[in-house]
Structure formats: structure tokens, C-alpha cells
Amino acid sequence: MPRPTTDRHDGSLTPQFPVAEIADVHQLMAVAIGMEHEATLRYRELAAEMRRAGTMDLARLFDDLAKLEAEHEEELVRMAERTYGAAPAPVTFAWQFPETFDEDGVGVLTPYRALSIAVRNEERGFTFYAYLSAASTDPLVRERAEALARGELDHLAELRAMRRRAYHAELRKPQDRRAVHTLDELRALAGRLETRARDFDTAAANALTAIGHPAAAAMRRQAEQDAALAAGAGAAVAPSLDTAALSPASTLGLALKNAEEVFEAYMAAAEQAPDEAVMREAQRLGQHAVARLALIRSQLGEVDD
């Protein structure tokens, strides 16, 4: 299957999202429609590849996903038409596929692995909207981006539920994380993760303060939110991380790595949740985690060693 390509734009918001600065809600809707359109196309291509490989269960799965994404795209088009009288031309995006995903790998692509590709790309969209909601100076763009991020979270919940069923069908369990079965176990996990995040974010705030960076106050507020979550989960709140010997960029890099690990831990907890209450709480914690991730990513490229 040919790998899709992306035309990089000068002035990209971040290296992860090749889109120039979004000036208004109309441009944001063009991006949102483009993301849904790309997902629809890729699911249809994957469905066709599965049929050629004789893997009909996967073909039907991707057909269903293509239909779901097409419905999401139509909803956004109708919303834009109601608001502006006409839908904007969609911005072109390309999905991120694993480096090993090629024609030779199609025959061994399981439902779990296929849905993992879909989840990863939906997470990319979720993170993009969360970044915009935190970074945009236009209040209307922030409001709409936040709404789109919530919508992506719903899409992710659907895909993760499908991936969870595929996971059980394949009798596979992750080896690198302990499962979370109850709200108490999830709160204990959150206490550990948020205490560690608080330490990294405090160190990042201190590093930004030392160089007079304007984002220092935002990082300080983020660390305070981390501490509040940790305390709410019953965790100790005394700082324990010493990064004084590191440069600001290195400190932010460590904070980013930790933020990514925390986000993945919450998403894994949501995916493996045994009931609705645990899943919803893990998703709520995941929203906090992705906002932290977006904040750190937005600053990392502006700080030099």
C-alpha cells in the first residue's frame, strides 16, 4: 500500500502538526474536516488491502471505521455550513503509519495492531486540538478547539473499546503495565504519576524562571495543578527532583518524556478499565495529562541549550 505523504508548511505550529498558525475558527474547521477526511480515506484503503489479503474480518472492521469517520466529517461540514454558509476546503493531512507497515506486513496485521494504528492517529488529533485550546490567542479558536478535543476524546473512547475487545479476542495482555481494576487502584496510580509530574513540572518552571521565559508562570500553574491531583489521591507532595545541573532545554525534555509516559499510562488504564467508572476517571486524568503535554511541547522548541 503506498504510504501517504504530507506537504510540510513553513511556520508550522509544532513539528508534530504541519499546519501554519490558525488565525480564526474558519481555518480551524478546515483543519478539522481535513483530519476526518484523511481518516476516512485511510480506513477505506486499509479495508481494500485487507480484502486483497483475504482478511475479511479486518476488511469489515475498517469499512465500519471508514463509515464512522465519514459521519464525523459530515457533521463538521454541516456545522460549518450552518455557521458560515459554506464549508471550507479541507486541509490535507497524512496519517502516521509504523515504519514496518508495508505490503509484506499486511497479512500479519491483527485487529489489535490495526486498531492501535487508528488509536495512535486519533490521539494525534486529540493532542493537536488540546494544543490549540491552550496556545491560541483567539478566544473563539480556543473554545472551538476545546470542543473538538472533547469530540476526539469520544472518538478515542469508541476506538479503544473496539481495541479492548480485539485485545481480549486475541488473548493478549500488555507486559509493561499492571492492570487497574478499581477506582482506588486508579487513584493510587494517579497519586504516583502526578507526584512525579509535579516534580518535573516544578523543575521546568524553575528553569524557565531562571532565564526569564514568559512561560514560567504557566508551568508553575501546571505544577500546582499536578500537586493538587496528587494530594487529592492521597500522595505526599514534598518535592524530590533535583535538575539544577541541567540546562533549561534538557529539563524541559525530561518533563516532556515524563508527560508522555503519564499520558500513555492513563490511556492504558482507560483501555483496560473493567467498568465505566474507572474508564471515565482515567479519561478525565488523561485530559489533564494531554493539556500538560501540549504546554510542555509548545515551549520546548523556544528554549535553547
Side-chain angles (χ1 to χ4, degrees):
M1 180 179 68
R3 187 184 298 266
T5 59
T6 304
D7 294 330
R8 299 289 302 195
H9 301 274
D10 292 334
S12 295
L13 285 173
T14 74
Q16 291 82 21
F17 309 116
V19 179
E21 188 68 38
I22 291 176
D24 54 37
V25 178
H26 192 259
Q27 290 183 359
L28 176 58
M29 293 302 292
V31 169
I33 293 170
M35 283 187 173
E36 299 295 343
H37 185 71
E38 172 69 11
T40 302
L41 291 178
R42 298 309 162 201
Y43 284 139
R44 287 173 178 166
E45 287 184 359
L46 286 167
E49 288 294 333
M50 295 303 102
R51 287 192 185 88
R52 281 192 285 272
T55 314
M56 300 311 296
D57 57 339
L58 274 177
R60 287 189 292 271
L61 170 62
F62 283 120
D63 279 334
D64 290 342
L65 290 174
K67 181 180 178 181
L68 182 65
E69 293 298 338
E71 290 172 354
H72 294 160
E73 180 184 353
E74 290 170 3
E75 290 173 8
L76 290 174
V77 168
R78 287 194 296 270
M79 182 187 301
E81 289 173 342
R82 287 195 302 269
T83 305
Y84 303 104
V91 172
T92 300
F93 282 91
W95 264 30
Q96 294 177 340
F97 286 87
E99 291 301 318
T100 57
F101 188 81
D102 53 25
E103 290 187 6
D104 292 335
V106 166
V108 297
L109 185 65
T110 67
Y112 181 85
R113 290 181 60 200
L115 285 163
S116 293
I117 295 171
V119 165
R120 184 159 57 251
N121 281 280
E122 292 287 346
E123 285 176 350
R124 183 186 178 211
F126 177 36
T127 305
F128 174 73
Y129 292 134
Y131 171 87
L132 278 183
S133 70
S136 177
T137 59
D138 185 325
L140 292 178
V141 171
R142 287 202 304 270
E143 180 181 352
R144 178 60 64 187
E146 184 177 353
L148 288 166
R150 287 196 300 268
E152 287 299 299
L153 193 62
D154 290 339
H155 298 177
L156 270 169
E158 295 176 52
L159 283 170
R160 286 183 175 281
M162 296 173 72
R163 188 171 73 167
R164 187 162 57 248
R165 289 193 293 271
Y167 158 83
H168 288 298
E170 294 176 25
L171 299 178
R172 293 178 53 187
K173 290 187 177 181
Q175 300 299 314
D176 58 340
R177 291 193 181 98
R178 287 180 295 177
V180 173
H181 299 101
T182 67
L183 282 173
D184 285 343
E185 289 180 355
L186 179 57
R187 291 189 184 104
L189 173 66
R192 295 191 299 271
L193 294 176
E194 295 300 330
T195 297
R196 190 69 172 164
R198 185 279 323 277
D199 290 348
F200 277 106
D201 293 348
T202 297
N206 292 340
L208 292 172
T209 299
I211 60 174
H213 196 283
M219 281 304 309
R220 189 78 59 192
R221 288 192 297 272
Q222 181 64 56
E224 291 170 356
Q225 293 173 17
D226 303 338
L229 275 177
V237 295
S240 60
L241 187 67
D242 182 9
T243 59
L246 299 178
S247 68
S250 295
T251 302
L252 278 171
L254 289 174
L256 176 63
K257 183 176 185 297
N258 182 72
E260 290 172 340
E261 291 173 353
V262 172
F263 174 69
E264 286 297 324
Y266 287 143
M267 292 298 96
E271 177 188 339
Q272 300 169 39
D275 57 50
E276 187 78 8
V278 173
M279 182 184 71
R280 291 297 181 188
E281 179 63 10
Q283 289 177 341
R284 185 187 71 82
L285 291 165
Q287 285 183 291
H288 175 79
V290 82
R292 171 173 50 226
L293 188 58
L295 175 63
I296 298 172
R297 277 178 174 164
S298 70
Q299 304 307 324
L300 190 57
E302 301 177 9
V303 178
D304 297 325
D305 277 312

